[in-house]
Amino acid sequence: GAGVSQSPRYKVAKRGQDVALRCDPISGHVSLFWYQQALGQGPEFLTYFQNEAQLDKSGLPSDRFFAERPEGSVSTLKIQRTQQEDSAVYLCASSLEDRGRGEAFFGQGTRLTVV
Amino acid sequence: GDSVTQMEGPVTLSEEACLTINCTYTATGYPSLFWYVQYPGEGLQLLLKATKADDKGSNKGFEATYRKETTSFHLEKGSVQVSDSAVYFCALSGRGYQKVTFGTGTKLQVIP
């Protein structure tokens, strides 16, 4: 597709369950970001990849959160032992240039609900 | 650290009314400033941006001017349409890569 694709669109997880969220960036985009958007809030930065290198993971809220982009294209955000406070929309964005310069294109997000 | 403060919503306007959504920021150095829009059921889209002081970003009839002296980037439109109903986010990014810091968003509802 032409845009950033995220799957699944919706995920319901039982507390304590592990989840994996997928992001397919626009083909050829070097930079990839993950954001977390709680209900009624703006997105908050989680982590940044330049190709396969994770250059910044300062926004990951705990060591239960892990992200990877092994071949510099598709990325997966994994959350272990989910908690209710993890309920949010997880947004992925990609941009063509390195260092994140240039316009970032966002996916529609994955809405995670932990019950 | 960097932060963005924008007016709380929801904002309800009649079609063809004037719109202003206030946004102020705190950042070190000279950030780039953005307005993003999120239409119902869709992803975030960049609406406009400004990269240096006194720059004016504009798109789809919306405008915002980068005011360094007041650390503001207010969004304006002279005549809103029903199709402008959405959530608007003010945002900034600092030097280096574009890690974006967002405000909390302002929901705009335009009624016919």
Side-chain angles (χ1 to χ4, degrees), chain A residues 37-63:
Chain A
Q37 186 176 15
L39 187 64
Q41 301 297 313
E44 293 194 358
F45 170 80
L46 293 177
T47 187
Y48 164 65
F49 289 86
Q50 181 179 312
N51 295 308
E52 69 279 4
Q54 189 174 20
L55 299 188
D56 188 344
K57 53 182 180 180
S58 62
L60 295 176
S62 78
D63 59 8

Side-chain angles (χ1 to χ4, degrees), chain A residues 4-5 22-34 49-53 68-76 92-94:
Chain A
V4 176
S5 178
R22 178 187 169 103
C23 173
D24 283 86
I26 295 173
S27 178
H29 276 200
V30 169
S31 294
L32 185 145
F33 302 82
W34 283 99
F49 289 86
Q50 181 179 312
N51 295 308
E52 69 279 4
E68 60 183 6
R69 193 187 185 198
E71 298 179 356
S73 56
V74 172
S75 178
T76 304
C92 177
S94 69

